[in-house]
Amino acid sequence: MLTFNANDPSGAGGLSADITAMSSASCHVLAVATGCYVRDTRTIHQHVALDDELIDDQARCVLEDITPLAIKVGFVGNADNLATVAGLLSDYAHIPVVCYLPDLTWLDEVERENYLDALAELVLPQTSVLVGNHHTLSRWLLPDWSDDRGPNAREIAAAAAEHGVPFTLATGFNTPDQHLESHLASPETLLASARFERFEATFSGAGDTLSAVLCALLASETDLQAACAEALGYLDQCLAAGFQPGMGHAVPNRLFWALDEDAPPDNEADPDDSTPPAQQLEGFPTPSRTH
């Protein structure tokens, strides 16, 4: 698995999400850093993009050694970096590509427009599946939409298809009974749908998590419809087990499957455990609490 994304020091999204989600699907992750967020769990304060030549060097060095089975394109920073990524994708045109579009309203307007123009022109024609929240995708792909009714999944997919994308996974459709729906669509048909209860918490990193595990499942040659259903189910469990590590938004627990629900509390010994207590090394600092 090859992924292009920015480092997120909060652990909510970016490469942190890609690595943990893809690893959960038993994939070895080739993580190419495209930049670095200056952010916490509440908001993005800044993003610094890496030089496009450095991104190219990272990717080509590892690609000369390892051939990936699928590629994810997350947020890569600027138009120059998108051009570099597009050049790499063209050299591996037989490999499926999942492109995720995050919310970019925090970005300077001119930079955002330049980025989206380059994404549409250079990367979407090489994209197998475009993933994003339906509001984000609609604002970008259908800027002149004037109907009071928002565009549905097929209409968003049709707009994406004009740029060469065969399939679109649009998330976050509201329903009257407080559920959220996600739809995999082509311009011609709705291929798969999933419906989950809405969580009260606001999450950071959900979209990166979904697109990463979808890409990992495609790498294992899972059928696209089945991969979408499994990826959406995985995300739902990540959110159900999510937690709030700081003072901002909640974060998906992408390693929920590793939790031992039968483990005794920290202050309660297991009577069947014959392991002798660990000895504290003199002078070695130990944490006063666990996370």
Side-chain angles (χ1 to χ4, degrees), residues 272-291:
D272 297 327
D273 187 359
S274 59
T275 304
Q279 295 182 349
Q280 181 174 334
L281 296 178
E282 183 177 353
F284 191 83
T286 55
S288 59
R289 60 177 181 172
T290 58
H291 298 273

Side-chain angles (χ1 to χ4, degrees), residues 219-249:
S220 67
E221 298 185 350
T222 304
D223 171 80
L224 176 57
Q225 291 168 285
C228 281
E230 188 172 344
L232 288 164
Y234 169 80
L235 175 62
D236 186 59
Q237 293 180 82
C238 290
L239 300 183
F243 60 101
Q244 189 174 8
M247 296 180 289
H249 298 156

Side-chain angles (χ1 to χ4, degrees), residues 35 73 82 101 117 124 131 142 149 190 193 195 200 270 275 277 282:
V73 179
L82 282 169
L101 178 66
D117 288 347
L124 289 195
V131 180
L142 296 164
R149 172 191 63 82
L190 198 63
S193 295
R195 189 170 183 270
E200 293 184 4
D270 186 345
T275 304
E282 183 177 353

Side-chain angles (χ1 to χ4, degrees), residues 1 4 13 15 29 37 58 60 81 91 99 150 172 179 186 196 198 207 213 241 261 268 288:
M1 285 290 313
F4 297 93
L15 286 178
V29 187
Y37 290 110
Q58 289 181 80
R60 291 197 182 278
N81 289 354
D91 292 340
C99 180
H179 284 68
S186 70
F196 299 102
R198 180 194 298 275
V213 76
E261 297 180 355
E268 184 178 314
S288 59

Side-chain angles (χ1 to χ4, degrees), residues 13-288:
L15 286 178
S16 297
D18 291 347
I19 292 169
T20 49
M22 291 174 174
S23 297
S24 294
S26 301
C27 284
H28 177 68
V29 187
L30 313 175
V32 176
T34 61
C36 183
Y37 290 110
V38 178
R39 68 159 302 169
D40 50 32
T41 56
R42 283 180 290 193
T43 188
I44 297 171
H45 300 279
Q46 187 183 0
H47 175 273
V48 179
L50 291 180
D51 183 80
D52 58 310
E53 292 185 3
L54 180 56
I55 294 171
D56 189 70
D57 288 345
Q58 289 181 80
R60 291 197 182 278
C61 183
V62 74
L63 287 170
E64 289 177 2
D65 180 40
I66 304 170
T67 301
L69 298 177
I71 300 173
K72 173 188 168 177
V73 179
F75 181 59
V76 302
N78 58 38
D80 289 341
N81 289 354
L82 282 169
T84 296
V85 170
L88 289 158
L89 296 180
S90 66
D91 292 340
Y92 295 86
H94 61 289
I95 297 176
V97 175
V98 174
C99 180
Y100 169 58
L101 178 66
D103 176 22
L104 298 179
T105 54
W106 58 271
L107 198 58
D108 173 81
E109 184 177 357
V110 174
E111 293 179 351
R112 181 171 65 249
E113 291 303 317
N114 289 339
Y115 185 89
L116 293 175
D117 288 347
L119 186 66
E121 180 180 351
L122 302 174
V123 175
L124 289 195
Q126 304 184 74
T127 295
S128 307
V129 186
L130 174 63
V131 180
N133 180 275
H134 79 284
H135 285 303
T136 302
L137 294 177
S138 298
R139 286 195 301 266
W140 174 36
L141 297 171
L142 296 164
D144 299 324
W145 186 271
S146 57
D147 198 318
D148 291 339
R149 172 191 63 82
N152 60 33
R154 281 186 55 202
E155 289 162 335
I156 294 172
E162 293 182 4
H163 300 284
V165 181
F167 303 103
T168 299
L169 176 58
T171 65
F173 288 92
N174 293 304
T175 67
D177 57 353
Q178 299 302 304
H179 284 68
L180 291 174
E181 292 184 348
S182 299
H183 303 291
L184 173 69
S186 70
E188 296 78 25
T189 186
L190 198 63
L191 297 164
S193 295
R195 189 170 183 270
F196 299 102
E197 290 186 18
R198 180 194 298 275
F199 291 96
E200 293 184 4
T202 299
F203 284 89
S204 292
D208 264 324
T209 302
L210 174 62
S211 52
V213 76
L214 172 61
C215 192
L217 291 167
L218 293 177
S220 67
E221 298 185 350
T222 304
D223 171 80
L224 176 57
Q225 291 168 285
C228 281
E230 188 172 344
L232 288 164
Y234 169 80
L235 175 62
D236 186 59
Q237 293 180 82
C238 290
L239 300 183
F243 60 101
Q244 189 174 8
M247 296 180 289
H249 298 156
V251 173
N253 187 346
R254 292 172 282 265
L255 300 178
F256 67 86
W257 48 267
L259 297 175
D260 186 359
E261 297 180 355
D262 298 325
D266 292 342
N267 59 353
E268 184 178 314
D270 186 345
D272 297 327
D273 187 359
S274 59
T275 304
Q279 295 182 349
Q280 181 174 334
L281 296 178
E282 183 177 353
F284 191 83
T286 55
S288 59

